[in-house]
């Protein structure tokens, strides 16, 4: 009886870890929501804001972690530091870890995106939607293609981050209130995983590792300042929190840049601990690496969990549940077999771990450790990414913006550049 009871408790825990993030959210009866665009945030969230010293209309940012299937809303407190106010289990995301490269690859974007009020779509066919703004300046400079990539409801995805309708109702409300409070743009940070030393070691053999090292610089800047980093693009790379002697051009040469001294010192301290943690991970997982599961494998784990149980689960599951640590010697054959089967079915391989990447990383494992204090890390452009021969133009403002035609779901341009209020060195603390 005790074993049966424990099994029941475990299944209930899994259910709560699925699409529904809180009991309060799960209790929302959408049929009784009279105006979804103006639906207020739940009382428990407003109470939590008050406890944390946050104004209802203060600025927000959004962070996504694909591997664990989590979306976080962070909000500015009275000290202008951002902390998590709500966390949601992503209901569905397609593809596997790695950035979106081209239209039709089913990959969800990874990178830094700025969301303006024009990105909100109140009339989405997926209940409510927020356009991620893909492709941004970095994506365009690197020839990446795709559009209509959203955070939306309906729990169904092909390159988007899909939530339940109840979840997107809250996420939309967070953004709406922040814009009403005067925020000009909300920063969306989409990461493959939490960029800890252990995770960076586990994924060191991925062909995306150089791209992820570049994202990690922005990740580290937030961890140090607790404020969204100022993001620029030059030489087809992201750069963060840089004081520059000239304008930035996404494909052009970077201007002379300097990191504010206080930030530089803080990053150096952060990096010292990171390097110690990376060394520990190297010893802990010597000869091992992470096997990143395919979308089909994630779905198979979900199907197995649901079998015989009337419980709601996120339909595409999480990479943490379906992936595993394996011996490096076994990883090559696993990925080779999977790639061969996928190609045989007429499909394409989305950022697989390749034989070449395994041999390269195995030959020089320490080269995978990024430096947190560096201001810019060279991006690794996968072989299947087309490189434009001329400087690509920034995305053009689409005349069919939501303000004029809210039924249209199309990518928006980023807002005009100006010093953000969260700039780390803008004032003495």
């Amino acid at each position: 009886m005790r074993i049966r009871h424990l099994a029941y408790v475990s299944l209930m825990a899994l259910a709560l870890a699925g699409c529904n993030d809180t009991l309060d959210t799960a209790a929302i009866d959408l049929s009784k929501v009279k105006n979804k665009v103006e639906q207020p945030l739940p009382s428990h969230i407003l109470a939590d804001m008050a406890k944390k010293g946050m104004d209802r209309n203060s600025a927000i940012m959004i962070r996504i972690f694909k591997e664990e299937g989590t979306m976080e809303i962070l909000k500015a407190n009275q000290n202008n530091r951002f902390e998590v106010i709500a966390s949601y289990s992503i209901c569905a995301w397609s593809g596997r870890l790695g950035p979106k490269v081209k239209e039709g690859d089913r990959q969800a974007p990874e990178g830094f995106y700025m969301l303006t009020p024009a990105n909100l779509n109140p009339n989405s066919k997926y209940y409510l939607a927020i356009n991620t703004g893909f492709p941004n300046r970095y994506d365009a400079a690197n020839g990446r293609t795709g559009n209509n990539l959203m955070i939306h409801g309906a729990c169904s995805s092909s390159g988007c981050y899909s939530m339940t309708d109840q979840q997107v109702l809250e996420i939309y409300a967070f953004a709406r209130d922040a814009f009403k409070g005067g925020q000009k743009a909300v920063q969306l940070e989409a990461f493959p995983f939490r960029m800890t030393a252990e995770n960076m070691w586990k994924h060191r053999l991925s062909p995306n590792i150089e791209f992820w090292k570049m994202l990690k610089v922005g990740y580290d800047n937030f961890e140090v300042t607790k404020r969204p980093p100022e993001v620029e693009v030059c030489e087809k790379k992201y750069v963060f929190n840089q004081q520059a002697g000239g304008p930035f051009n996404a494909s052009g040469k970077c201007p002379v840049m300097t990191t504010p001294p206080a930030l530089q010192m803080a990053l150096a301290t952060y990096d010292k601990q990171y390097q110690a943690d990376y060394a520990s991970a190297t010893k802990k997982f010597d000869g091992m690496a992470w096997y990143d599961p395919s979308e089909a494998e994630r779905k198979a784990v979900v199907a197995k969990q649901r079998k015989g149980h009337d419980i709601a689960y996120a339909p595409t599951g999480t990479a943490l549940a379906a992936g595993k640590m394996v011996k490096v010697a076994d990883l090559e054959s696993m990925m080779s077999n999977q790639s061969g089967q996928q190609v045989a079915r007429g499909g394409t391989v989305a950022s697989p771990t390749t034989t070449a990447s395994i041999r390269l990383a195995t030959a020089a494992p320490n080269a995978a450790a990024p430096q947190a204090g560096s201001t810019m890390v060279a991006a690794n452009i996968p072989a299947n990414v087309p490189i434009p021969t001329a400087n690509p133009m920034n995305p053009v403002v689409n005349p069919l913006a939501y303000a004029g035609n809210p039924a249209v779901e199309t990518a928006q341009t980023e807002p005009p550049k100006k010093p953000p209020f969260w700039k780390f060195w803008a004032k003495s603390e």
Side-chain angles (χ1 to χ4, degrees):
M1 290 296 293
R2 180 174 177 79
I3 294 176
R4 184 178 300 173
H5 174 73
L6 289 174
Y8 175 78
V9 171
S10 297
L11 286 170
M12 290 304 295
L14 284 170
L16 293 176
C19 292
N20 295 326
D21 55 296
T22 64
L23 292 176
D24 198 86
T25 299
I28 294 176
D29 184 349
L30 295 179
S31 66
K32 296 181 180 180
V33 174
K34 296 181 180 180
N35 185 347
K36 61 184 179 180
V37 174
E38 295 298 332
Q39 175 70 15
L41 287 165
S43 58
H44 77 277
I45 289 182
L46 296 176
D48 198 22
M49 284 184 194
K51 290 179 182 178
K52 295 181 176 181
M54 300 172 177
D55 183 80
R56 179 171 181 171
N57 292 332
S58 68
I60 68 166
M61 62 182 288
I62 303 173
R63 295 180 103 191
I64 291 173
F65 302 100
K66 273 187 183 178
E67 188 169 67
E68 63 186 66
T70 297
M71 180 179 296
E72 295 178 342
I73 306 296
L74 298 89
K75 198 165 181 66
N77 59 25
Q78 292 175 348
N79 295 321
N80 209 19
R81 296 292 194 270
F82 286 68
E83 58 180 306
V84 176
I85 188 64
S87 181
Y88 305 94
S89 295
I90 298 172
C91 205
W93 61 276
S94 58
R96 65 198 311 164
L97 301 188
K100 182 168 188 64
V101 172
K102 60 183 179 180
E103 180 78 33
D105 64 7
R106 290 183 53 80
Q107 288 292 106
E110 293 175 6
F112 292 77
Y113 299 86
M114 298 303 289
L115 316 178
T116 71
N119 291 68
L120 302 183
N121 185 358
N123 295 333
S124 171
K125 61 183 178 180
Y126 301 105
Y127 195 70
L128 289 168
I130 304 175
N131 195 309
T132 64
F134 180 94
N136 63 14
R137 287 173 296 146
Y138 171 85
D139 300 319
N142 285 282
R144 296 180 175 179
T145 58
N147 55 65
N148 299 333
L149 300 175
M150 309 281 170
I151 296 170
H152 61 65
C155 196
S156 175
S157 175
S158 181
C160 298
Y161 292 105
S162 185
M163 317 301 289
T164 65
D165 292 348
Q166 290 92 343
Q167 290 172 328
V168 80
L169 188 67
E170 286 188 10
I171 296 166
Y172 192 97
F174 272 115
R176 176 203 64 215
D177 289 352
F179 289 137
K180 285 183 177 180
Q183 187 174 8
K184 300 301 182 183
V186 170
Q187 187 170 109
L188 166 65
E189 302 177 358
F191 298 108
F193 41 76
R194 296 188 189 275
M195 310 200 91
T196 62
E198 188 167 296
N199 280 340
M200 293 299 286
W201 169 260
K202 288 180 177 179
H203 292 277
R204 71 194 184 282
L205 302 184
S206 170
N208 297 304
I209 190 62
E210 295 302 323
F211 172 70
W212 292 341
K213 288 180 187 178
M214 180 177 56
L215 297 188
K216 185 182 180 301
V217 178
Y219 178 95
D220 293 346
N221 271 258
F222 173 78
E223 292 301 311
V224 166
T225 67
K226 296 303 178 185
R227 295 176 181 175
E230 183 176 357
V231 182
E232 295 289 355
V233 181
C234 57
E235 298 179 16
K236 300 183 181 180
K237 306 163 191 157
Y238 284 115
V239 294
F240 304 93
N241 285 339
Q242 291 298 289
Q243 293 176 317
F248 287 91
N249 182 295
S251 296
K253 184 177 176 60
C254 291
V256 176
M257 301 181 295
T258 58
T259 304
L263 179 59
Q264 193 170 21
M265 290 177 62
L267 285 169
T269 300
Y270 182 89
D271 183 59
K272 184 176 181 180
Q273 182 60 54
Y274 174 84
Q275 295 299 334
D277 292 341
Y278 196 87
S280 297
T282 303
K283 294 179 181 179
K284 181 179 179 181
F285 299 109
D286 184 34
M288 305 287 286
W290 180 259
Y291 169 71
D292 179 34
S294 65
E295 182 180 349
E297 288 170 321
R298 289 190 284 117
K299 289 180 177 179
V301 169
V302 172
K304 185 176 181 180
Q305 290 174 333
R306 292 185 64 178
K307 189 174 182 179
H309 303 287
D310 186 19
I311 297 175
Y313 291 90
T316 59
T318 71
L320 281 181
K324 57 185 176 181
M325 290 294 288
V326 299
K327 293 180 179 179
V328 171
D330 298 332
L331 185 60
E332 179 181 333
S333 60
M334 292 174 65
M335 293 306 298
S336 178
N337 290 339
Q338 185 184 85
S339 299
Q341 293 171 3
Q342 195 166 345
V343 171
R345 292 193 298 267
T348 58
V349 181
S351 300
T353 300
T354 63
T355 300
S357 67
I358 291 177
R359 290 176 179 169
L360 177 63
T362 304
N366 291 334
Q371 299 294 322
S374 63
T375 60
M376 179 175 64
V377 182
N380 176 38
I381 309 302
N384 60 340
V385 179
I387 304 299
T389 56
N391 287 352
M393 298 177 63
N394 285 337
V396 179
V397 176
N398 193 307
L400 299 177
Y402 297 153
N405 186 359
V408 176
E409 294 183 337
T410 184
Q412 305 297 316
T413 56
E414 297 180 5
K417 290 293 179 181
K418 63 180 181 179
F421 75 92
W422 56 74
K423 204 167 185 178
F424 180 65
W425 56 89
K427 61 179 182 179
S428 59
E429 305 270 341

